[in-house]
Amino acid sequence: MNKLVSSSGVLAASVFLTLAATTTATAQADPLPGLTVTTVLDGLAKPWDAVVAPDGTVLTGERSGRFVIRAVDGTIRELAADLDDLYAPGETGLMGIALATDFAASRTIYTCQGVQGSGGGTGSAGTGSAGGRSDNHIAVLSWTVDPEWTALTRTGTLVDDIPVADGGRHGGCRILAHPDGTLYVGTGDTASPTVPQDRNSLGGKVLHINADGSPAAGSPDRIFTLGHRNVQGLAIRPGTDQIYEVEQGTSRDDELNLLVPGGNYGYRPDRLPFIYDESVPMTDPTRVPGALAAVWSSGSPAIATPGLTFADGASWGSWNGAAVISSQQEEKLVFLKLSEDGTEFVDEADALVGTYGRLRSLTSFGGAGAFLLTTDNGSDDKVLLVTPAAD
């Protein structure tokens, strides 16, 4: 059944005048509410992330290098931006986008993206070096956008030594703007055997930095956690200070992890010399003593999990506060009801199975528990608005 989304339940919903499809979640003992899905933007090519500004403007970026908005009046247009040095092979390119917590005043936006080295060198899978980069790498950049939403202007480089593989594999790279003004950045391990456990490399980590790029308190080397494979989702559990990440597994065991400062999450694919050995466990407490166990893992086969948010609001009923994970491979959303302390999941449900193809980014939208969802099919990709359907 198709119906229009009411403007009373969703922040700036009057912007979105397209028809919404109401779907039913996969049956389980404690069913999810139905989902109302509205197309916000379409005709895109691999939009990696999407955010909504306080005025209701929705911003997304295509991985190959293009920023697109849907303005509050419903118009859709490309933003001018200098992306001439974008490095975008394979899985890398224009990736995570986040609004500064003081965006309404500062107009600051952060991006995580591949950058071509000034000397045209090859990609690095090891330690980067700040300043005067001659190799390709991944950087966290800051931008400002004018009040009319016509152009992005670069204002700084916060991090410029996240490694990238020559083919762009396992580039991460998600940004979480914390309410305290700091940034968390999830990175990929460049498919290199030693990187996840190497404290001299920013690959395979979650970083914690201040808004000027300096190490945040408690992370003197900028490394908040290590032992990750490819961190592409970061989110705060509503009503708590708990930060979770979701990362893509090998042929099995995509993981949802509760982050603990200094924690090691146990990925160590260097069992064979110089070989990226993906037959090792995603969490290996034998070879990584003290490795922290996942809150949830997909089992076998992996389902490819690039996005994470939380269902937040009374309209979600008993699923209020559940983690929501996107799947590329199985083309669905996974809802995970967590225990009170957040250390384990107690119920699981699937939604939108096979409805929109490969699913990627998830971002809280505000109002009635809504969130933005991007598709990852390669052509006619969409930014979708998902809300729990009214009774």
mmCIF file with all atom_site columns, all heavy atoms in Angstrom, residues 42-64:
data_model
loop_
_atom_site.group_PDB
_atom_site.id
_atom_site.type_symbol
_atom_site.label_atom_id
_atom_site.label_alt_id
_atom_site.label_comp_id
_atom_site.label_asym_id
_atom_site.label_entity_id
_atom_site.label_seq_id
_atom_site.pdbx_PDB_ins_code
_atom_site.Cartn_x
_atom_site.Cartn_y
_atom_site.Cartn_z
_atom_site.occupancy
_atom_site.B_iso_or_equiv
_atom_site.pdbx_formal_charge
_atom_site.auth_seq_id
_atom_site.auth_comp_id
_atom_site.auth_asym_id
_atom_site.auth_atom_id
_atom_site.pdbx_PDB_model_num
ATOM 1   N N   . ASP A 1 42 ? 17.161 10.354 -5.728  1.00 0.00 ? 42 ASP A N   1
ATOM 2   C CA  . ASP A 1 42 ? 17.406 9.170  -6.547  1.00 0.00 ? 42 ASP A CA  1
ATOM 3   C C   . ASP A 1 42 ? 18.300 9.548  -7.721  1.00 0.00 ? 42 ASP A C   1
ATOM 4   O O   . ASP A 1 42 ? 18.785 10.680 -7.815  1.00 0.00 ? 42 ASP A O   1
ATOM 5   C CB  . ASP A 1 42 ? 16.105 8.514  -7.008  1.00 0.00 ? 42 ASP A CB  1
ATOM 6   C CG  . ASP A 1 42 ? 15.214 9.450  -7.801  1.00 0.00 ? 42 ASP A CG  1
ATOM 7   O OD1 . ASP A 1 42 ? 15.682 10.530 -8.226  1.00 0.00 ? 42 ASP A OD1 1
ATOM 8   O OD2 . ASP A 1 42 ? 14.031 9.114  -8.004  1.00 0.00 ? 42 ASP A OD2 1
ATOM 9   N N   . GLY A 1 43 ? 18.572 8.590  -8.605  1.00 0.00 ? 43 GLY A N   1
ATOM 10  C CA  . GLY A 1 43 ? 19.435 8.850  -9.743  1.00 0.00 ? 43 GLY A CA  1
ATOM 11  C C   . GLY A 1 43 ? 20.893 9.026  -9.368  1.00 0.00 ? 43 GLY A C   1
ATOM 12  O O   . GLY A 1 43 ? 21.668 9.637  -10.115 1.00 0.00 ? 43 GLY A O   1
ATOM 13  N N   . LEU A 1 44 ? 21.299 8.472  -8.228  1.00 0.00 ? 44 LEU A N   1
ATOM 14  C CA  . LEU A 1 44 ? 22.666 8.616  -7.737  1.00 0.00 ? 44 LEU A CA  1
ATOM 15  C C   . LEU A 1 44 ? 23.505 7.395  -8.079  1.00 0.00 ? 44 LEU A C   1
ATOM 16  O O   . LEU A 1 44 ? 22.970 6.346  -8.478  1.00 0.00 ? 44 LEU A O   1
ATOM 17  C CB  . LEU A 1 44 ? 22.647 8.819  -6.219  1.00 0.00 ? 44 LEU A CB  1
ATOM 18  C CG  . LEU A 1 44 ? 21.859 10.027 -5.700  1.00 0.00 ? 44 LEU A CG  1
ATOM 19  C CD1 . LEU A 1 44 ? 21.693 9.943  -4.187  1.00 0.00 ? 44 LEU A CD1 1
ATOM 20  C CD2 . LEU A 1 44 ? 22.535 11.328 -6.099  1.00 0.00 ? 44 LEU A CD2 1
ATOM 21  N N   . ALA A 1 45 ? 24.822 7.503  -7.902  1.00 0.00 ? 45 ALA A N   1
ATOM 22  C CA  . ALA A 1 45 ? 25.746 6.400  -8.118  1.00 0.00 ? 45 ALA A CA  1
ATOM 23  C C   . ALA A 1 45 ? 26.580 6.208  -6.856  1.00 0.00 ? 45 ALA A C   1
ATOM 24  O O   . ALA A 1 45 ? 27.476 6.995  -6.572  1.00 0.00 ? 45 ALA A O   1
ATOM 25  C CB  . ALA A 1 45 ? 26.656 6.669  -9.316  1.00 0.00 ? 45 ALA A CB  1
ATOM 26  N N   . LYS A 1 46 ? 26.234 5.190  -6.094  1.00 0.00 ? 46 LYS A N   1
ATOM 27  C CA  . LYS A 1 46 ? 26.951 4.829  -4.869  1.00 0.00 ? 46 LYS A CA  1
ATOM 28  C C   . LYS A 1 46 ? 27.110 5.992  -3.891  1.00 0.00 ? 46 LYS A C   1
ATOM 29  O O   . LYS A 1 46 ? 28.222 6.416  -3.574  1.00 0.00 ? 46 LYS A O   1
ATOM 30  C CB  . LYS A 1 46 ? 28.303 4.199  -5.212  1.00 0.00 ? 46 LYS A CB  1
ATOM 31  C CG  . LYS A 1 46 ? 28.189 2.834  -5.881  1.00 0.00 ? 46 LYS A CG  1
ATOM 32  C CD  . LYS A 1 46 ? 29.528 2.158  -6.035  1.00 0.00 ? 46 LYS A CD  1
ATOM 33  C CE  . LYS A 1 46 ? 29.376 0.736  -6.590  1.00 0.00 ? 46 LYS A CE  1
ATOM 34  N NZ  . LYS A 1 46 ? 28.664 -0.175 -5.657  1.00 0.00 ? 46 LYS A NZ  1
ATOM 35  N N   . PRO A 1 47 ? 26.011 6.499  -3.383  1.00 0.00 ? 47 PRO A N   1
ATOM 36  C CA  . PRO A 1 47 ? 26.094 7.501  -2.313  1.00 0.00 ? 47 PRO A CA  1
ATOM 37  C C   . PRO A 1 47 ? 26.540 6.817  -1.024  1.00 0.00 ? 47 PRO A C   1
ATOM 38  O O   . PRO A 1 47 ? 25.831 5.984  -0.479  1.00 0.00 ? 47 PRO A O   1
ATOM 39  C CB  . PRO A 1 47 ? 24.657 8.023  -2.208  1.00 0.00 ? 47 PRO A CB  1
ATOM 40  C CG  . PRO A 1 47 ? 23.810 6.879  -2.685  1.00 0.00 ? 47 PRO A CG  1
ATOM 41  C CD  . PRO A 1 47 ? 24.612 6.170  -3.735  1.00 0.00 ? 47 PRO A CD  1
ATOM 42  N N   . TRP A 1 48 ? 27.725 7.192  -0.537  1.00 0.00 ? 48 TRP A N   1
ATOM 43  C CA  . TRP A 1 48 ? 28.325 6.461  0.585   1.00 0.00 ? 48 TRP A CA  1
ATOM 44  C C   . TRP A 1 48 ? 27.712 6.885  1.914   1.00 0.00 ? 48 TRP A C   1
ATOM 45  O O   . TRP A 1 48 ? 27.612 6.088  2.831   1.00 0.00 ? 48 TRP A O   1
ATOM 46  C CB  . TRP A 1 48 ? 29.829 6.712  0.589   1.00 0.00 ? 48 TRP A CB  1
ATOM 47  C CG  . TRP A 1 48 ? 30.659 5.632  1.208   1.00 0.00 ? 48 TRP A CG  1
ATOM 48  C CD1 . TRP A 1 48 ? 31.307 4.616  0.552   1.00 0.00 ? 48 TRP A CD1 1
ATOM 49  C CD2 . TRP A 1 48 ? 30.953 5.452  2.598   1.00 0.00 ? 48 TRP A CD2 1
ATOM 50  N NE1 . TRP A 1 48 ? 31.980 3.820  1.443   1.00 0.00 ? 48 TRP A NE1 1
ATOM 51  C CE2 . TRP A 1 48 ? 31.777 4.309  2.718   1.00 0.00 ? 48 TRP A CE2 1
ATOM 52  C CE3 . TRP A 1 48 ? 30.602 6.140  3.748   1.00 0.00 ? 48 TRP A CE3 1
ATOM 53  C CZ2 . TRP A 1 48 ? 32.251 3.845  3.943   1.00 0.00 ? 48 TRP A CZ2 1
ATOM 54  C CZ3 . TRP A 1 48 ? 31.081 5.676  4.984   1.00 0.00 ? 48 TRP A CZ3 1
ATOM 55  C CH2 . TRP A 1 48 ? 31.894 4.539  5.064   1.00 0.00 ? 48 TRP A CH2 1
ATOM 56  N N   . ASP A 1 49 ? 27.310 8.131  2.042   1.00 0.00 ? 49 ASP A N   1
ATOM 57  C CA  . ASP A 1 49 ? 26.796 8.627  3.307   1.00 0.00 ? 49 ASP A CA  1
ATOM 58  C C   . ASP A 1 49 ? 25.748 9.699  3.031   1.00 0.00 ? 49 ASP A C   1
ATOM 59  O O   . ASP A 1 49 ? 25.668 10.226 1.913   1.00 0.00 ? 49 ASP A O   1
ATOM 60  C CB  . ASP A 1 49 ? 27.925 9.206  4.163   1.00 0.00 ? 49 ASP A CB  1
ATOM 61  C CG  . ASP A 1 49 ? 27.654 9.119  5.657   1.00 0.00 ? 49 ASP A CG  1
ATOM 62  O OD1 . ASP A 1 49 ? 26.505 8.826  6.041   1.00 0.00 ? 49 ASP A OD1 1
ATOM 63  O OD2 . ASP A 1 49 ? 28.591 9.327  6.439   1.00 0.00 ? 49 ASP A OD2 1
ATOM 64  N N   . ALA A 1 50 ? 24.956 10.022 4.037   1.00 0.00 ? 50 ALA A N   1
ATOM 65  C CA  . ALA A 1 50 ? 23.960 11.086 3.920   1.00 0.00 ? 50 ALA A CA  1
ATOM 66  C C   . ALA A 1 50 ? 23.712 11.665 5.298   1.00 0.00 ? 50 ALA A C   1
ATOM 67  O O   . ALA A 1 50 ? 23.689 10.937 6.298   1.00 0.00 ? 50 ALA A O   1
ATOM 68  C CB  . ALA A 1 50 ? 22.651 10.555 3.334   1.00 0.00 ? 50 ALA A CB  1
ATOM 69  N N   . VAL A 1 51 ? 23.547 12.989 5.357   1.00 0.00 ? 51 VAL A N   1
ATOM 70  C CA  . VAL A 1 51 ? 23.286 13.674 6.618   1.00 0.00 ? 51 VAL A CA  1
ATOM 71  C C   . VAL A 1 51 ? 22.179 14.696 6.389   1.00 0.00 ? 51 VAL A C   1
ATOM 72  O O   . VAL A 1 51 ? 21.933 15.115 5.258   1.00 0.00 ? 51 VAL A O   1
ATOM 73  C CB  . VAL A 1 51 ? 24.545 14.380 7.168   1.00 0.00 ? 51 VAL A CB  1
ATOM 74  C CG1 . VAL A 1 51 ? 25.611 13.356 7.549   1.00 0.00 ? 51 VAL A CG1 1
ATOM 75  C CG2 . VAL A 1 51 ? 25.101 15.378 6.161   1.00 0.00 ? 51 VAL A CG2 1
ATOM 76  N N   . VAL A 1 52 ? 21.537 15.102 7.483   1.00 0.00 ? 52 VAL A N   1
ATOM 77  C CA  . VAL A 1 52 ? 20.508 16.134 7.395   1.00 0.00 ? 52 VAL A CA  1
ATOM 78  C C   . VAL A 1 52 ? 20.912 17.300 8.275   1.00 0.00 ? 52 VAL A C   1
ATOM 79  O O   . VAL A 1 52 ? 21.312 17.128 9.432   1.00 0.00 ? 52 VAL A O   1
ATOM 80  C CB  . VAL A 1 52 ? 19.121 15.589 7.789   1.00 0.00 ? 52 VAL A CB  1
ATOM 81  C CG1 . VAL A 1 52 ? 19.111 15.042 9.201   1.00 0.00 ? 52 VAL A CG1 1
ATOM 82  C CG2 . VAL A 1 52 ? 18.041 16.663 7.620   1.00 0.00 ? 52 VAL A CG2 1
ATOM 83  N N   . ALA A 1 53 ? 20.846 18.503 7.730   1.00 0.00 ? 53 ALA A N   1
ATOM 84  C CA  . ALA A 1 53 ? 21.191 19.724 8.453   1.00 0.00 ? 53 ALA A CA  1
ATOM 85  C C   . ALA A 1 53 ? 20.011 20.185 9.309   1.00 0.00 ? 53 ALA A C   1
ATOM 86  O O   . ALA A 1 53 ? 18.870 19.752 9.097   1.00 0.00 ? 53 ALA A O   1
ATOM 87  C CB  . ALA A 1 53 ? 21.585 20.813 7.459   1.00 0.00 ? 53 ALA A CB  1
ATOM 88  N N   . PRO A 1 54 ? 20.260 21.067 10.260  1.00 0.00 ? 54 PRO A N   1
ATOM 89  C CA  . PRO A 1 54 ? 19.165 21.557 11.114  1.00 0.00 ? 54 PRO A CA  1
ATOM 90  C C   . PRO A 1 54 ? 18.012 22.178 10.338  1.00 0.00 ? 54 PRO A C   1
ATOM 91  O O   . PRO A 1 54 ? 16.863 22.134 10.798  1.00 0.00 ? 54 PRO A O   1
ATOM 92  C CB  . PRO A 1 54 ? 19.855 22.590 12.005  1.00 0.00 ? 54 PRO A CB  1
ATOM 93  C CG  . PRO A 1 54 ? 21.275 22.129 12.087  1.00 0.00 ? 54 PRO A CG  1
ATOM 94  C CD  . PRO A 1 54 ? 21.578 21.558 10.723  1.00 0.00 ? 54 PRO A CD  1
ATOM 95  N N   . ASP A 1 55 ? 18.289 22.758 9.161   1.00 0.00 ? 55 ASP A N   1
ATOM 96  C CA  . ASP A 1 55 ? 17.207 23.373 8.390   1.00 0.00 ? 55 ASP A CA  1
ATOM 97  C C   . ASP A 1 55 ? 16.452 22.370 7.527   1.00 0.00 ? 55 ASP A C   1
ATOM 98  O O   . ASP A 1 55 ? 15.527 22.732 6.814   1.00 0.00 ? 55 ASP A O   1
ATOM 99  C CB  . ASP A 1 55 ? 17.751 24.515 7.521   1.00 0.00 ? 55 ASP A CB  1
ATOM 100 C CG  . ASP A 1 55 ? 18.694 24.048 6.411   1.00 0.00 ? 55 ASP A CG  1
ATOM 101 O OD1 . ASP A 1 55 ? 18.927 22.820 6.280   1.00 0.00 ? 55 ASP A OD1 1
ATOM 102 O OD2 . ASP A 1 55 ? 19.198 24.908 5.661   1.00 0.00 ? 55 ASP A OD2 1
ATOM 103 N N   . GLY A 1 56 ? 16.822 21.076 7.594   1.00 0.00 ? 56 GLY A N   1
ATOM 104 C CA  . GLY A 1 56 ? 16.151 20.043 6.818   1.00 0.00 ? 56 GLY A CA  1
ATOM 105 C C   . GLY A 1 56 ? 16.810 19.713 5.500   1.00 0.00 ? 56 GLY A C   1
ATOM 106 O O   . GLY A 1 56 ? 16.370 18.794 4.805   1.00 0.00 ? 56 GLY A O   1
ATOM 107 N N   . THR A 1 57 ? 17.879 20.433 5.116   1.00 0.00 ? 57 THR A N   1
ATOM 108 C CA  . THR A 1 57 ? 18.618 20.103 3.900   1.00 0.00 ? 57 THR A CA  1
ATOM 109 C C   . THR A 1 57 ? 19.297 18.756 4.053   1.00 0.00 ? 57 THR A C   1
ATOM 110 O O   . THR A 1 57 ? 19.935 18.486 5.076   1.00 0.00 ? 57 THR A O   1
ATOM 111 C CB  . THR A 1 57 ? 19.682 21.171 3.595   1.00 0.00 ? 57 THR A CB  1
ATOM 112 O OG1 . THR A 1 57 ? 19.049 22.428 3.412   1.00 0.00 ? 57 THR A OG1 1
ATOM 113 C CG2 . THR A 1 57 ? 20.479 20.822 2.346   1.00 0.00 ? 57 THR A CG2 1
ATOM 114 N N   . VAL A 1 58 ? 19.161 17.889 3.054   1.00 0.00 ? 58 VAL A N   1
ATOM 115 C CA  . VAL A 1 58 ? 19.815 16.582 3.055   1.00 0.00 ? 58 VAL A CA  1
ATOM 116 C C   . VAL A 1 58 ? 21.007 16.643 2.112   1.00 0.00 ? 58 VAL A C   1
ATOM 117 O O   . VAL A 1 58 ? 20.882 17.048 0.949   1.00 0.00 ? 58 VAL A O   1
ATOM 118 C CB  . VAL A 1 58 ? 18.851 15.468 2.625   1.00 0.00 ? 58 VAL A CB  1
ATOM 119 C CG1 . VAL A 1 58 ? 19.581 14.135 2.478   1.00 0.00 ? 58 VAL A CG1 1
ATOM 120 C CG2 . VAL A 1 58 ? 17.721 15.330 3.645   1.00 0.00 ? 58 VAL A CG2 1
ATOM 121 N N   . LEU A 1 59 ? 22.168 16.246 2.626   1.00 0.00 ? 59 LEU A N   1
ATOM 122 C CA  . LEU A 1 59 ? 23.415 16.241 1.855   1.00 0.00 ? 59 LEU A CA  1
ATOM 123 C C   . LEU A 1 59 ? 23.911 14.814 1.716   1.00 0.00 ? 59 LEU A C   1
ATOM 124 O O   . LEU A 1 59 ? 23.962 14.059 2.694   1.00 0.00 ? 59 LEU A O   1
ATOM 125 C CB  . LEU A 1 59 ? 24.473 17.081 2.585   1.00 0.00 ? 59 LEU A CB  1
ATOM 126 C CG  . LEU A 1 59 ? 25.925 16.957 2.087   1.00 0.00 ? 59 LEU A CG  1
ATOM 127 C CD1 . LEU A 1 59 ? 26.080 17.546 0.696   1.00 0.00 ? 59 LEU A CD1 1
ATOM 128 C CD2 . LEU A 1 59 ? 26.881 17.611 3.074   1.00 0.00 ? 59 LEU A CD2 1
ATOM 129 N N   . THR A 1 60 ? 24.298 14.440 0.505   1.00 0.00 ? 60 THR A N   1
ATOM 130 C CA  . THR A 1 60 ? 24.929 13.144 0.266   1.00 0.00 ? 60 THR A CA  1
ATOM 131 C C   . THR A 1 60 ? 26.130 13.343 -0.645  1.00 0.00 ? 60 THR A C   1
ATOM 132 O O   . THR A 1 60 ? 26.306 14.417 -1.237  1.00 0.00 ? 60 THR A O   1
ATOM 133 C CB  . THR A 1 60 ? 23.934 12.141 -0.349  1.00 0.00 ? 60 THR A CB  1
ATOM 134 O OG1 . THR A 1 60 ? 24.520 10.826 -0.361  1.00 0.00 ? 60 THR A OG1 1
ATOM 135 C CG2 . THR A 1 60 ? 23.563 12.517 -1.779  1.00 0.00 ? 60 THR A CG2 1
ATOM 136 N N   . GLY A 1 61 ? 26.962 12.311 -0.734  1.00 0.00 ? 61 GLY A N   1
ATOM 137 C CA  . GLY A 1 61 ? 28.133 12.376 -1.596  1.00 0.00 ? 61 GLY A CA  1
ATOM 138 C C   . GLY A 1 61 ? 28.340 11.059 -2.311  1.00 0.00 ? 61 GLY A C   1
ATOM 139 O O   . GLY A 1 61 ? 28.298 9.991  -1.683  1.00 0.00 ? 61 GLY A O   1
ATOM 140 N N   . GLU A 1 62 ? 28.527 11.104 -3.620  1.00 0.00 ? 62 GLU A N   1
ATOM 141 C CA  . GLU A 1 62 ? 28.823 9.894  -4.380  1.00 0.00 ? 62 GLU A CA  1
ATOM 142 C C   . GLU A 1 62 ? 30.296 9.529  -4.213  1.00 0.00 ? 62 GLU A C   1
ATOM 143 O O   . GLU A 1 62 ? 31.167 10.407 -4.198  1.00 0.00 ? 62 GLU A O   1
ATOM 144 C CB  . GLU A 1 62 ? 28.501 10.109 -5.856  1.00 0.00 ? 62 GLU A CB  1
ATOM 145 C CG  . GLU A 1 62 ? 27.023 10.319 -6.106  1.00 0.00 ? 62 GLU A CG  1
ATOM 146 C CD  . GLU A 1 62 ? 26.715 10.613 -7.565  1.00 0.00 ? 62 GLU A CD  1
ATOM 147 O OE1 . GLU A 1 62 ? 27.586 11.193 -8.245  1.00 0.00 ? 62 GLU A OE1 1
ATOM 148 O OE2 . GLU A 1 62 ? 25.614 10.253 -8.027  1.00 0.00 ? 62 GLU A OE2 1
ATOM 149 N N   . ARG A 1 63 ? 30.580 8.242  -4.130  1.00 0.00 ? 63 ARG A N   1
ATOM 150 C CA  . ARG A 1 63 ? 31.940 7.806  -3.861  1.00 0.00 ? 63 ARG A CA  1
ATOM 151 C C   . ARG A 1 63 ? 32.932 8.275  -4.920  1.00 0.00 ? 63 ARG A C   1
ATOM 152 O O   . ARG A 1 63 ? 34.093 8.551  -4.630  1.00 0.00 ? 63 ARG A O   1
ATOM 153 C CB  . ARG A 1 63 ? 31.985 6.280  -3.740  1.00 0.00 ? 63 ARG A CB  1
ATOM 154 C CG  . ARG A 1 63 ? 33.213 5.769  -3.005  1.00 0.00 ? 63 ARG A CG  1
ATOM 155 C CD  . ARG A 1 63 ? 33.167 4.271  -2.852  1.00 0.00 ? 63 ARG A CD  1
ATOM 156 N NE  . ARG A 1 63 ? 33.270 3.604  -4.141  1.00 0.00 ? 63 ARG A NE  1
ATOM 157 C CZ  . ARG A 1 63 ? 32.989 2.326  -4.356  1.00 0.00 ? 63 ARG A CZ  1
ATOM 158 N NH1 . ARG A 1 63 ? 32.539 1.590  -3.365  1.00 0.00 ? 63 ARG A NH1 1
ATOM 159 N NH2 . ARG A 1 63 ? 33.121 1.788  -5.554  1.00 0.00 ? 63 ARG A NH2 1
ATOM 160 N N   . SER A 1 64 ? 32.489 8.394  -6.153  1.00 0.00 ? 64 SER A N   1
ATOM 161 C CA  . SER A 1 64 ? 33.380 8.813  -7.237  1.00 0.00 ? 64 SER A CA  1
ATOM 162 C C   . SER A 1 64 ? 33.679 10.304 -7.204  1.00 0.00 ? 64 SER A C   1
ATOM 163 O O   . SER A 1 64 ? 34.535 10.775 -7.955  1.00 0.00 ? 64 SER A O   1
ATOM 164 C CB  . SER A 1 64 ? 32.772 8.453  -8.594  1.00 0.00 ? 64 SER A CB  1
ATOM 165 O OG  . SER A 1 64 ? 31.514 9.090  -8.756  1.00 0.00 ? 64 SER A OG  1
#
